[in-house]
Amino acid sequence: MRLHDHAVLNYVMQQPNPILIIYLFEPSLISTPESDVRHWRFAYQGIQDFRGKIGHNKILVLHAEALDALKMIAEAYAIQAILSHQETGLEITYRRDQAVRKWCKRKGINWKTFERDGVRRNIPDRRGWQKYWDDYMNGDLFPVDVSGLNLIRPNLNHFQNGMVKIPDLIAKPDPSFQRGGETKAMKLLESFTQNRAKSYLKNLARPSLSQETCSRLSPYIAHGHVSARHVYQETKAVKDRLGRNIDQFHNRLWWRCHYIQKLETEYTIEKEPINRGFIGIEKEFRPDYYKAWSNGSTGFPMIDASMRCLIETGYLNFRMRAMLATFWSFTLWQDWRIGAAYLAKVFLDFEPGIHYPQFQMQAGMTGYHPMRIFNPILQAKKYDDYGVFIKKWVHELGNVPENLLATPWELSQMEQNFYNTHIGKDYPYPLVNYDQATREAKEKYWAYRNSEHVRKNLPELWRKHSLPKDIINYEEELNIQTGLVTESVMYNPKP
């Protein structure tokens, strides 16, 4: 839903046939555990913004599964081609694409897809990927001139069975969340390059200040309201002025695409451990842990503030996201898939290709990344300046001095009375003993990670998902961590 850098619309401007633009609210996708009204509200706002640019009645919006929608359209029009960007999504969208491709083949319809974000389809490993990504991100943008689009104004009488009845929750804006649409994305991009990016690196790890100085463009990129390439080039243009801030921002754009490529290469990452050796690891589900973690009542203020912020706004900086993931996976010793599905639901910028490989990395499911567990007590002391973030989201602790906020359970009875904050009544005791629970989790994890059935998968994982230059580093890291000798890599890592 954009006019800047849109390869599909740029392509059709040069074609003689009339074009029908469609957007589908697919019931099966809306009903997935990862789905939330916040995602569809944001998407709908993007549609409304786009309609304002190309004409209100020139987008056909249907509430239907993809095949059902295409069959309806085929009854009204002679379809010669279907054009779209490639999607690296959930397994359900992967299966949908397979079904659509079979239908197109039966009907003699050409389905032409366009790559996005420098992510390549059907590649066995990463040889040459870095150069391709560099070339893609620095390549020509694809602008769209609305006057050059031969757009069909659909006759809605043909599509009554699939017409969308937008619920009030989707149609009505919620001021707690960012508003979707290319217009908003362009304003954010401008404010970031002109001013906000100057403090990007300084405040990146701080959950409160990062809300202003991070780009806040991730939901717009995820929903297609702006392209990653457009963002890359606009920020590259101000690199001389903003220096390392832009370097670090570009690093994160690179990592974003790198992780999407992982899911594109291996769609099973959504549901199965990247390293299949972890399939048998035992973690008993605790409903009480899930309830406390998912609603922000664990008794750890930084965990609870972060989760409540996500629930209310859909946004949280990366460090705190990683902290939520490691707390769930290690400290509470719970299955990564359950935690990942919930966070997908509350992230406004949920992008499957980033989300699942990243969550698995934080949960230790690769078997080769260094273990990083983000201690919520240390994170609060180091990154929540003056306790602003905790006090904003954990109102129960509003009277507690900033130097005591990270560990309120240590308040004496006299202090609890003085600050009128009673632990166990106004705010819960910690769900677990952090040091003990984390130590036990590490012992269980390393016993599994050092096993042969985990280690034997590493060469194939490196070959498939790592850049050639990184493979030796992974071998060395594993040797340092375990003292074990790994197998040789499966191809020559030299370019």
Side-chain angles (χ1 to χ4, degrees):
M1 297 287 110
R2 63 176 186 260
L3 294 178
H4 293 78
D5 193 29
H6 200 304
V8 178
L9 292 180
N10 180 273
Y11 173 84
V12 300
M13 282 195 307
Q14 305 161 41
Q15 308 304 313
N17 295 325
I19 301 301
L20 176 65
I21 297 178
I22 67 172
Y23 190 98
L24 304 180
F25 285 90
E26 299 167 84
S28 59
L29 200 54
I30 292 173
S31 65
T32 61
E34 297 88 350
S35 176
D36 187 74
V37 65
R38 65 190 63 194
H39 303 137
W40 306 111
R41 182 194 298 119
F42 194 89
Y44 178 69
Q45 290 166 350
I47 294 170
Q48 294 297 82
D49 182 66
F50 197 58
R51 278 174 163 164
K53 297 176 180 181
I54 69 167
H56 183 77
N57 295 322
K58 293 182 178 178
I59 303 177
L60 178 62
V61 181
L62 297 176
H63 182 251
E65 301 297 349
L67 269 181
D68 294 336
L70 292 173
K71 289 173 183 177
M72 276 191 284
I73 294 169
E75 291 176 358
Y77 302 101
I79 303 175
Q80 291 197 3
I82 298 172
L83 304 105
S84 69
H85 284 99
Q86 291 179 359
E87 179 179 12
T88 305
L90 301 170
E91 181 182 1
I92 193 172
T93 65
Y94 174 69
R95 300 300 183 194
R96 172 252 280 153
D97 286 359
Q98 289 180 319
V100 168
R101 193 165 295 284
K102 288 180 181 178
W103 181 81
C104 288
K105 187 175 182 180
R106 269 199 324 270
K107 294 290 185 180
I109 296 171
N110 175 33
W111 181 13
K112 182 176 176 60
T113 60
F114 295 74
E115 291 184 351
R116 67 182 184 97
D117 300 336
V119 175
R120 307 198 70 182
R121 187 152 285 180
N122 299 321
I123 60 173
D125 54 52
R126 291 301 186 91
R127 283 176 287 187
W129 186 82
Q130 180 66 60
K131 182 180 186 305
Y132 177 83
W133 187 86
D134 290 336
D135 292 343
Y136 179 91
M137 298 302 278
N138 288 289
D140 293 338
L141 300 179
F142 293 105
V144 178
D145 179 2
V146 174
S147 65
L149 293 173
N150 182 9
L151 296 178
I152 295 173
R153 188 186 300 270
N155 183 345
L156 299 184
N157 292 327
H158 291 304
F159 305 103
Q160 290 303 313
N161 291 336
M163 295 308 298
V164 176
K165 296 178 177 62
I166 301 297
D168 289 341
L169 280 175
I170 292 178
K172 185 179 179 180
D174 185 333
S176 298
F177 293 87
Q178 290 178 261
R179 185 179 180 88
E182 184 181 32
T183 300
K184 290 290 185 182
M186 291 300 101
K187 289 180 179 178
L188 272 177
L189 181 55
E190 181 181 13
S191 68
F192 184 65
T193 55
Q194 294 302 312
N195 182 49
R196 293 186 296 114
K198 66 184 180 183
S199 300
Y200 174 78
L201 191 54
K202 177 182 177 183
N203 297 329
L204 185 63
R206 291 174 166 78
S208 184
L209 295 174
S210 63
Q211 295 187 32
E212 295 296 326
T213 59
C214 281
S215 76
R216 301 301 298 273
L217 288 165
S218 55
Y220 300 92
I221 299 175
H223 286 269
H225 301 171
V226 67
S227 75
R229 176 165 57 185
H230 185 190
V231 172
Y232 178 87
Q233 294 190 17
E234 288 291 316
T235 50
K236 183 180 179 181
V238 297
K239 184 179 180 303
D240 288 345
R241 177 164 55 86
L242 296 171
R244 290 184 63 235
N245 291 291
I246 299 303
D247 287 336
Q248 290 300 315
F249 180 74
H250 284 173
N251 281 345
R252 281 152 183 80
L253 279 179
W254 183 92
W255 282 109
R256 175 185 183 276
C257 301
H258 168 70
Y259 277 96
I260 294 176
Q261 184 66 63
K262 286 176 182 279
L263 187 62
E264 176 61 45
T265 302
E266 193 169 9
Y267 76 90
T268 57
I269 287 174
E270 175 193 344
K271 296 179 179 178
E272 297 180 1
I274 291 176
N275 189 318
R276 302 298 177 84
F278 283 109
I279 287 177
I281 195 168
E282 294 183 3
K283 293 188 174 184
E284 180 185 356
F285 177 61
R286 291 282 302 266
D288 54 334
Y289 285 4
Y290 179 77
K291 180 179 180 180
W293 177 78
S294 64
N295 66 24
S297 58
T298 65
F300 293 90
M302 202 59 160
I303 295 290
D304 296 340
S306 296
M307 189 63 82
R308 295 181 194 185
C309 178
L310 267 178
I311 292 169
E312 291 296 318
T313 72
Y315 174 78
L316 190 67
N317 67 325
F318 175 78
R319 177 174 284 271
M320 298 305 117
R321 296 185 188 209
M323 176 191 68
L324 290 176
T326 61
F327 186 84
W328 171 260
S329 303
F330 289 108
T331 304
L332 300 184
W333 196 241
Q334 295 295 289
D335 191 306
W336 66 270
R337 287 165 290 201
I338 299 172
Y342 179 77
L343 287 185
K345 195 179 189 71
V346 293
F347 287 166
L348 182 62
D349 57 2
F350 170 56
E351 173 83 62
I354 307 168
H355 185 71
Y356 283 103
Q358 260 290 337
F359 201 106
Q360 286 213 43
M361 186 188 80
Q362 302 300 340
M365 292 293 104
T366 67
Y368 58 85
H369 285 104
M371 175 191 259
R372 295 184 179 94
I373 298 179
F374 294 79
N375 185 320
I377 301 168
L378 297 180
Q379 302 304 310
K381 291 178 177 179
K382 189 172 182 180
Y383 295 110
D384 188 14
D385 306 56
Y386 309 108
V388 171
F389 184 70
I390 289 176
K391 290 200 173 192
K392 179 176 180 178
W393 295 106
V394 186
H395 305 297
E396 308 95 303
L397 301 178
N399 296 329
V400 178
E402 62 180 84
N403 62 311
L404 302 174
L405 276 176
T407 55
W409 57 87
E410 294 180 354
L411 291 171
S412 67
Q413 190 60 53
M414 182 181 294
E415 288 172 321
Q416 293 182 47
N417 292 336
F418 182 78
Y419 300 127
N420 195 28
T421 304
H422 298 90
I423 306 305
K425 178 182 177 183
D426 301 315
Y427 184 69
Y429 282 107
L431 195 59
V432 294
N433 179 308
Y434 180 82
D435 290 337
Q436 179 182 344
T438 305
R439 181 174 60 253
E440 291 175 357
K442 286 181 179 179
E443 292 173 357
K444 296 175 187 175
Y445 172 75
W446 278 109
Y448 219 90
R449 176 162 164 166
N450 286 340
S451 65
E452 178 58 27
H453 55 278
V454 168
R455 289 181 53 250
K456 70 181 182 182
N457 297 318
L458 296 181
E460 173 61 15
L461 292 177
W462 292 332
R463 183 196 67 77
K464 185 182 296 184
H465 296 301
S466 301
L467 296 180
K469 67 182 179 62
D470 291 331
I471 293 176
I472 293 178
N473 294 335
Y474 286 139
E475 283 193 310
E476 292 175 349
E477 179 68 30
L478 192 73
N479 289 336
I480 291 170
Q481 291 176 3
T482 67
L484 301 172
V485 178
T486 65
E487 300 175 45
S488 61
V489 297
M490 299 186 70
Y491 66 81
N492 188 343
K494 295 180 180 180

